[in-house]
Structure formats: C-alpha cells, structure tokens
Amino acid sequence: MIRIGGWSRLSSCDWPGHLVTTVFCQGCPWRCGYCHNPALLPPRSPAVVSWQTVTAHLGRRRGLLDGIVLSGGEPLLQAGLADALREARALGFETGLHTGGAYPRRFDRLLSEGLLDWVGFDVKAAPAAYDRVTGVANSAAPAARSLRLLLDAGIPHQIRTTVDPALLDGADVVELERWVLRQGVRGHVTTPARAMSPAADGR
C-alpha cells in the first residue's frame, strides 16, 4: 500500500502529547542540505517492512497507542497514502502526518476527506530562500499553497522549521518569522539542524 523505509514502533515525540507508532515513507522530491534521513530519499529503494506488519502491530496495541504518524521522506509521494490512513482510522487510531507540502493537491484531498487529525508541517524558509534549502527549483509555491490549505482546514498542527546556519543566516530567519506571521501562523517552532543519524529502526 505504501513503501516504508523505516519504522519506530513507539514514539512519544513525533506527535506532541500522543503515543504513536511512526512510519517513515520512502522517497522525497527535495534534497535539503541538513536531511537526517538521506537513506529515505530514493523513492524506489526496497521497503524494510510491510504495511501489513504495521497494521498487525496496531491491532495488538489498541488501548496502548493513541495513533499513527506517517512521516518521511515525504509521505505525500505515496499513491496509497489515503488508503493507509483510512485503514488506520478503521482500526480506531488517530492519524498524523509529517509533510513539507510538496504536493498540495494530494494534501488537499486528505484534508478534504477528513483523514488527518494532526499535521506537523515543515516550513523550510521564507519563499526567497526555499530553493536554497530544498535544492530544488520552484519549491516555495507548492509549499506555500499547502501551508494555506492546512491553516484554512483548522485542524490541529505544528508549524516548524529546521534552521541550518549553512543555509539560513540571521536575516533569513528574521524574514522567515515575519513571513509565517503574515500567513497567520502562531506558535512557530524552530530547531537547530543536528548531525545526521541513521534512518529510524525498522529493518
């Protein structure tokens, strides 16, 4: 259903206030310089675990886990993402998504169908610096569109930015804060880039 590159069976940090299982989807269209899961970037790398294994785990954890988070990579790349979310919800779990918003039409469908209870949205920079961070031309427009869709949807969310001083200087960060405020974002979270680490356990 979805191609999984890593799996954290229990996480208390991927959805604030929730105990979840986190699935790391394989593939991402962007090449951020600080990416801490580079093994997840190629979209066609072999899956390390099946979706059926994850749902079996969920079935055994009813009453113990609050939900599931689909992370990445970029989970919106997955053609079966909506079906996976529906299946998790049918099992009685809340559903969360980590995304950079690279595919606003796909994101819009998930929001419109009510398939998400929470979203962790990664704003990379103010628009003028987006391509510098993602390494991909014209990446700001779809991300901005997805951010607007999320804010208009009114569901719980966290808007966050990883700040790598090799990519964003102090002036860039100030412009980013001004830009997110103009979009109506409140409680924007910034974290410093950290050293690369292996992909999530699940092999």
Side-chain angles (χ1 to χ4, degrees):
M1 185 173 291
I2 57 175
R3 191 183 298 262
I4 300 172
W7 181 28
S8 176
R9 292 164 178 78
L10 176 64
S11 172
S12 61
C13 63
D14 287 317
W15 183 343
H18 283 59
L19 288 177
V20 299
T21 195
T22 303
V23 169
F24 296 88
C25 298
Q26 189 71 41
C28 184
W30 293 341
R31 296 296 180 265
C32 301
Y34 54 76
C35 180
H36 61 275
N37 273 329
L40 293 175
L41 296 178
R44 301 196 180 280
S45 293
V48 301
V49 66
S50 70
W51 174 246
Q52 289 75 19
T53 298
V54 174
T55 55
H57 174 76
L58 288 174
R60 294 190 296 269
R61 295 299 185 272
R62 287 190 179 96
L64 301 174
L65 291 174
D66 300 310
I68 182 171
V69 170
L70 282 298
S71 187
E74 174 49 73
L76 292 174
L77 262 177
Q78 304 292 320
L81 182 61
D83 287 338
L85 291 167
R86 290 188 193 97
E87 187 168 346
R89 294 172 76 83
L91 289 169
F93 292 92
E94 293 184 275
T95 50
L97 182 76
H98 290 173
T99 183
Y103 301 100
R105 283 184 292 181
R106 298 178 188 180
F107 190 38
D108 189 25
R109 286 196 293 270
L110 301 181
L111 294 169
S112 298
E113 292 183 33
L115 294 176
L116 297 171
D117 297 295
W118 176 84
V119 174
F121 192 95
D122 295 306
V123 173
K124 304 298 183 180
Y130 237 87
D131 294 357
R132 186 194 321 155
V133 176
T134 65
V136 175
N138 304 314
S139 55
R145 173 62 179 150
S146 289
L147 176 61
R148 176 47 49 201
L149 290 167
L150 174 60
L151 296 176
D152 289 348
I155 68 169
H157 59 265
Q158 183 184 70
I159 310 298
R160 65 272 183 100
T161 300
T162 299
V163 177
D164 183 344
L167 296 168
L168 298 175
D169 61 21
D172 292 321
V173 175
V174 169
E175 177 55 28
L176 166 63
E177 295 290 359
R178 290 173 176 165
W179 184 77
V180 295
L181 278 173
R182 290 197 298 270
Q183 309 316 302
V185 172
R186 299 294 180 266
H188 177 225
V189 176
T190 59
T191 56
R194 59 185 175 83
M196 287 186 183
S197 63
D201 181 32
R203 297 178 185 277

